[in-house]
């Protein structure tokens, strides 16, 4: 916070605001007492264990070995006692009713309580001074006389005095916060010193000891990358090769995020809601692939139907077949050998694969083939009148093809946009530098709702909501 406390609303400011002295000294004292009680219990058990072998009857090989092991255990317990005793003393086990001197180096519970009292007093002064200053300024603004009017001059002096009182209150606040920081530093240093010099050696940690954290981080970044790639794939789907490549990469990142989030949900770090959102995102690739293909086929069929109608109209007008074909192709832009086949099948057969969305979603070979085809496939050159590809006139349905093309296109956009939006809204910043505006953690409230935020394995490590809720 800045030294001038700019932006503080003195009329509503509280002593335990995060900008001043947050925390509950009584809770700190309760924690300190539990730690101190643990230290006493450890010391008692060490003493009992020492007394157990401090006598006659142990003069044998087994007795001497037991005494040796016991001595080692007592030593470890004594060192543990020092660690707990130092932490308990640094935190404190009670909060005194009487004020203490600022120079005293007490425990953290006492110091926090004293700092909060100092802030309370300073805020009370600041609130009164701020209210007086605002009142005097209002009277000055409303005074009808000139600036040198006696009454107006008096109001200005009163306003200056109120501003001085506010500055004094700010000074008291700065002192209180400096005291708080100094005392917190003392408590931290005492605990740190005990940890570093009590003789206990913490076990060596390896990078694989925290593999679950690594999995969670990989899942987070895979989800973020998938969100970016999905957006780019949607925006650039019309670009040959690039659209297919972006789609394949987005699918790969989404599957990685799904696998990692599933592991985190099993471990209790994530939720099954995260997994469900990821799964819908992965399945949307299969749906999008099918719907996208359907939209393209229906659009080709609709254009082919229009070309055929154009051809038949010109033939009825006496135009030769060759000229009519070239004219129809020029007017509609149709020049693909599969048009007649699509027309012959009819619109009802253009969605045969909708039942295999899961298979399509996880078929990486198919996505790789899409990329290969986009890179290598040449435009087909046979015309609309290719032999054996003309449908019967009764099978033509231009409006149905057009309607299907539009419907499939809308469904395609929905199948890609909604899951992508859900995935992005579910992102939450992992590091302090990540912008919360781009990772809004929109579903956090749902995850703290019993059932919706479930995680873990039922009857083993299962919870109904994410931890911390």
């Amino acid at each position: 916070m800045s030294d001038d406390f700019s932006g503080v609303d003195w009329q509503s400011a509280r002593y335990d605001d995060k900008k001043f002295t947050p925390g509950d000294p009584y809770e700190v004292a309760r924690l300190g007492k539990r730690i101190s009680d643990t230290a006493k219990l450890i010391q008692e058990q060490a003493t009992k264990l020492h007394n157990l072998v401090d006598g006659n009857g142990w003069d044998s090989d087994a007795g001497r070995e037991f005494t040796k092991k016991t001595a080692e255990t007592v030593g470890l317990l004594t060192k543990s006692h020092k660690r707990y005793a130092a932490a308990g003393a640094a935190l404190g086990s009670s909060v005194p009713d009487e004020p203490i001197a600022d120079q005293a180096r007490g425990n953290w519970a006492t110091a926090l309580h004293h700092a909060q009292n100092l802030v309370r007093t300073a805020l009370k002064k600041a609130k009164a001074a701020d209210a007086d200053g605002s009142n005097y300024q209002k009277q000055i603004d409303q005074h009808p006389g000139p600036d040198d009017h006696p009454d107006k001059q008096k109001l200005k002096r009163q306003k200056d005095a109120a501003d001085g009182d506010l500055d004094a209150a700010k000074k008291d606040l700065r002192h209180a916060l400096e005291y708080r920081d100094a005392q917190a530093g003392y408590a931290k240093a005492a605990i740190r010193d005990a940890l570093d010099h009590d003789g206990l050696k913490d076990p060596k940690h390896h990078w694989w000891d925290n593999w679950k954290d690594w999995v969670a981080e990989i899942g987070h970044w895979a989800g973020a990358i998938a969100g970016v790639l999905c957006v780019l794939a949607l925006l650039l789907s019309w670009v040959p090769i690039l659209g297919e490549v972006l789609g394949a990469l987005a699918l790969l990142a989404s599957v990685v995020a799904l696998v990692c989030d599933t592991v985190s949900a099993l471990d209790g770090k994530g939720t099954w809601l995260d997994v469900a959102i990821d799964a819908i995102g992965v399945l949307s690739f299969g749906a999008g692939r099918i719907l996208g293909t359907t939209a393209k086929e229906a659009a080709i069929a609709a254009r082919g139907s229009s070309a055929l109608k154009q051809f038949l109209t010109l033939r009825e007008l006496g135009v030769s077949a060759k000229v009519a074909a070239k004219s129809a192709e020029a007017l509609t832009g149709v020049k693909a050998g599969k048009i007649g086949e699509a027309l012959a099948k009819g619109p009802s057969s253009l969605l045969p694969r909708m039942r295999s969305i899961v298979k399509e979603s996880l078929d990486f070979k198919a996505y790789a083939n899409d990329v290969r085809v986009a890179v290598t496939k040449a435009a087909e050159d046979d015309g609309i009148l290719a032999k054996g590809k003309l449908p019967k006139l009764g099978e033509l349905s231009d409006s149905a093809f057009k309607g299907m093309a539009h419907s499939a296109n809308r469904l395609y956009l929905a199948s890609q946009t909604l899951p992508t939006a859900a995935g992005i809204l579910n992102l939450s910043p992992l590091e302090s530098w990540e912008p919360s505006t781009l990772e809004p953690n929109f579903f956090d409230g749902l995850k703290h709702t019993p059932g919706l935020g479930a995680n873990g394995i039922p009857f083993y490590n299962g919870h109904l909501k994410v931890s911390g809720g």
Side-chain angles (χ1 to χ4, degrees), residues 345-356:
K345 286 182 178 179
S348 61
S349 63
L350 289 178
L351 292 173
R353 294 176 295 170
M354 287 300 290
R355 292 168 298 181
S356 59

Side-chain angles (χ1 to χ4, degrees), residues 303-336 339 381-387 390:
R303 290 167 61 201
S305 180
S306 298
L308 188 56
K309 282 187 175 183
Q310 182 71 23
F311 168 77
L312 294 175
T313 300
L314 292 174
R315 288 291 290 148
E316 289 175 359
L317 294 175
V319 179
S320 67
K322 184 176 181 180
V323 174
K326 288 184 177 181
S327 177
E329 291 179 353
L331 290 173
T332 59
V334 174
K335 200 173 184 179
I339 293 173
D381 199 36
D382 46 341
I384 185 66
L385 298 179
K387 184 178 179 181
L390 277 177

Side-chain angles (χ1 to χ4, degrees), residues 367-390:
Y367 284 92
N369 186 63
D370 287 346
V371 176
R372 181 187 62 79
V373 170
V375 174
T376 61
K377 184 177 179 182
E380 297 186 13
D381 199 36
D382 46 341
I384 185 66
L385 298 179
K387 184 178 179 181
K389 294 190 177 181
L390 277 177

Side-chain angles (χ1 to χ4, degrees), residues 90-161:
L91 292 176
S93 57
S94 63
V95 178
D97 295 329
E98 298 179 357
I100 63 172
D102 290 353
Q103 294 77 18
R105 182 183 297 188
N107 56 65
W108 175 234
T110 300
L112 178 60
H113 182 255
H114 181 59
Q116 288 183 340
N117 285 335
L118 294 176
V119 172
R120 282 191 186 95
T121 302
L123 286 179
K124 184 177 180 180
K125 291 168 58 177
K127 181 177 181 179
D130 177 68
D132 290 342
S134 298
N135 182 45
Y136 292 137
Q137 185 61 55
K138 182 178 180 180
Q139 293 183 57
I140 292 171
D141 294 339
Q142 294 176 349
H143 196 284
D147 289 343
D148 57 356
H149 191 283
D151 291 342
K152 203 167 188 178
Q153 290 295 317
K154 180 181 179 181
L155 288 171
K156 288 182 178 179
R157 289 193 296 272
Q158 292 173 321
K159 172 67 167 58
D160 291 340

Side-chain angles (χ1 to χ4, degrees), residues 3 7 37 87 90 118 128 135 157 171 180 190 216 231 255 310 317 324 357 417-419 445:
D3 290 338
D37 290 345
L118 294 176
N135 182 45
R157 289 193 296 272
K171 183 178 179 180
R180 174 206 62 186
V231 172
V255 171
Q310 182 71 23
L317 294 175
I357 289 179
T417 304
L418 296 180

Side-chain angles (χ1 to χ4, degrees), residues 286-296 351 354 407-409 411-413 415-416:
R289 189 168 183 272
I290 294 170
L291 291 169
T293 301
T294 299
K296 292 176 183 178
L351 292 173
M354 287 300 290
S407 297
N409 191 51
L411 287 172
Y412 167 76
L413 291 175
S415 73
Q416 304 304 291

